[in-house]
């Protein structure tokens, strides 16, 4: 398996060999190579997710998606677990429990990203519950309340010079999975970190605005999806009773009405999972 450096580590333990694009490729080891072209799937199934991964299995390899196997998975090395424990101890020396918050991604930002107000609400909810909020991929513009931390997985450096509690650390799927796996909860948007969170057992909440989880996120038992009240009219459900029934059966979800309700519902979920 070969992918961008950092993302390639998600496949460690799942393949015979895992490489980044700039690694030396052992070309003589393989009978066949396949360039995986991922594309948005508008949805044509009523018995499985309409995600890129499921479409890739079907179109490129002729493999049917199996519910028992259709779960995100990241294998963790002992070194990754130890590094994550060290990082979390630095931001949470009292062991109160870290809440990871991710509200700004890099792709389709108008369809995914949430507001600074939403992030501030999540930080406040975590602090009120006695936990340590840590914002992932923070890009500036949010005056952090006292007690909130920042972790940037971009460029291996701290993005907020005023907050030195979390040392710079380059982005890596395995290390991020190790961090999420030792956190108290994850709350975020439709993006890579959310899929990494769904590969753990940690309570995870994914908030959706324009996109729909049936098309962009495979089911995971630890993950709850907050979707708009009108989500059954969104692609790929688009009024399909059969797809709506599959979504209700295979995914854990709740609905919200408007931006303010999204923040309230997300904060309420945090209270549920952190008090249980």
């Amino acid at each position: 398996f070969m992918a961008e450096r950092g993302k390639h580590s998600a496949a460690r333990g799942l393949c015979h060999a895992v490489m980044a694009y700039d690694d030396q490729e052992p070309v003589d080891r393989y009978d066949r190579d396949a360039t995986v072209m991922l594309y948005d799937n508008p949805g044509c199934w009523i018995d499985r997710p309409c995600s890129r991964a499921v479409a890739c299995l079907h179109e490129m390899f002729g493999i049917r998606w199996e519910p028992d196997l259709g779960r995100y998975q990241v294998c963790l090395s002992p070194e990754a677990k130890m590094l994550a424990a060290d990082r979390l101890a630095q931001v949470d020396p009292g062991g109160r429990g870290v809440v990871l918050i991710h509200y700004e991604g890099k792709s389709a930002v108008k369809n995914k990203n949430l507001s600074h107000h939403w992030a501030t609400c999540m930080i406040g909810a975590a602090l009120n519950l006695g936990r340590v909020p840590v914002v992932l991929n923070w890009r500036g513009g949010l005056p952090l309340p006292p007690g909130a931390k920042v972790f940037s997985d971009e460029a291996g450096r701290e993005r907020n010079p005023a907050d030195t509690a979390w040392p710079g650390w380059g982005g890596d799927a395995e290390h991020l999975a190790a961090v999420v796996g030792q956190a108290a909860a994850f709350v975020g948007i439709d993006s890579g970190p959310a899929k990494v969170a769904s590969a753990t057992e940690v309570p995870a909440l994914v908030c959706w605005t324009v996109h729909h989880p049936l098309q962009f996120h495979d089911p995971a038992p630890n993950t709850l999806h907050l979707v708009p009240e009108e989500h059954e009219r969104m692609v790929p459900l688009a009024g399909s009773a059969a797809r709506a029934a599959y979504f209700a059966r295979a995914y854990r979800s709740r609905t919200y009405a408007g931006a303010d309700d999204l923040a309230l519902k997300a904060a309420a979920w945090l209270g549920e999972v952190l008090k249980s």
Side-chain angles (χ1 to χ4, degrees), residues 12-28:
R12 287 178 184 148
L14 304 177
C15 308
H16 290 297
V18 176
M19 300 160 285
Y21 285 138
D22 54 353
D23 288 335
Q24 181 66 37
E25 182 180 1
V27 293
D28 57 341

Side-chain angles (χ1 to χ4, degrees), residues 158-221:
E158 176 58 59
R159 303 283 280 190
N160 180 4
D163 184 357
T164 59
W166 195 294
W169 183 22
D172 183 281
E174 181 189 6
H175 288 152
L176 181 57
V179 169
V180 177
Q182 297 180 48
F186 171 93
V187 56
I189 60 173
D190 163 33
S191 190
K195 293 176 174 61
V196 169
S198 288
T200 73
E201 303 300 324
V202 169
L205 180 74
V206 185
C207 300
W208 302 79
T209 55
V210 176
H211 290 166
H212 196 282
L214 185 61
Q215 185 178 9
F216 291 101
H217 200 111
D218 291 346

Side-chain angles (χ1 to χ4, degrees), residues 29-215:
R29 289 185 52 180
Y30 306 104
D31 299 316
R32 175 189 174 194
D33 66 81
T35 300
V36 175
M37 303 299 293
L38 296 176
Y39 57 90
D40 291 348
N41 179 28
C44 57
W45 297 303
I46 61 173
D47 59 349
R48 70 193 91 164
C50 301
S51 66
R52 294 174 175 180
V54 177
C56 174
L57 287 175
H58 176 77
E59 298 290 342
M60 290 201 65
F61 302 105
I63 298 174
R64 183 178 177 84
W65 184 81
E66 295 288 345
D68 293 339
L69 301 176
R71 170 86 191 268
Y72 299 109
Q73 182 177 353
V74 179
C75 299
L76 302 180
S77 66
E79 293 78 13
K81 293 179 181 179
M82 290 178 60
L83 178 59
D86 178 65
R87 297 303 197 219
L88 291 174
Q90 294 181 53
V91 295
D92 182 23
R96 292 182 292 160
V98 165
V99 174
L100 297 173
I101 301 167
H102 182 237
Y103 74 106
E104 288 187 327
K106 300 177 183 177
S107 63
V109 296
K110 293 182 179 180
N111 296 335
K112 296 181 181 182
N113 287 2
L114 297 176
S115 66
H116 293 330
H117 171 71
W118 179 90
T120 301
C121 290
M122 295 307 101
I123 290 170
L127 290 172
N128 288 338
L129 291 163
R131 309 305 175 110
V132 177
V134 175
V135 180
L136 301 176
N137 289 353
W138 186 60
R139 296 177 178 175
L142 175 65
L144 292 176
K149 308 296 181 182
V150 176
F151 165 50
S152 170
D153 68 3
E154 273 192 340
R157 64 179 183 273
E158 176 58 59
R159 303 283 280 190
N160 180 4
D163 184 357
T164 59
W166 195 294
W169 183 22
D172 183 281
E174 181 189 6
H175 288 152
L176 181 57
V179 169
V180 177
Q182 297 180 48
F186 171 93
V187 56
I189 60 173
D190 163 33
S191 190
K195 293 176 174 61
V196 169
S198 288
T200 73
E201 303 300 324
V202 169
L205 180 74
V206 185
C207 300
W208 302 79
T209 55
V210 176
H211 290 166
H212 196 282
L214 185 61
Q215 185 178 9

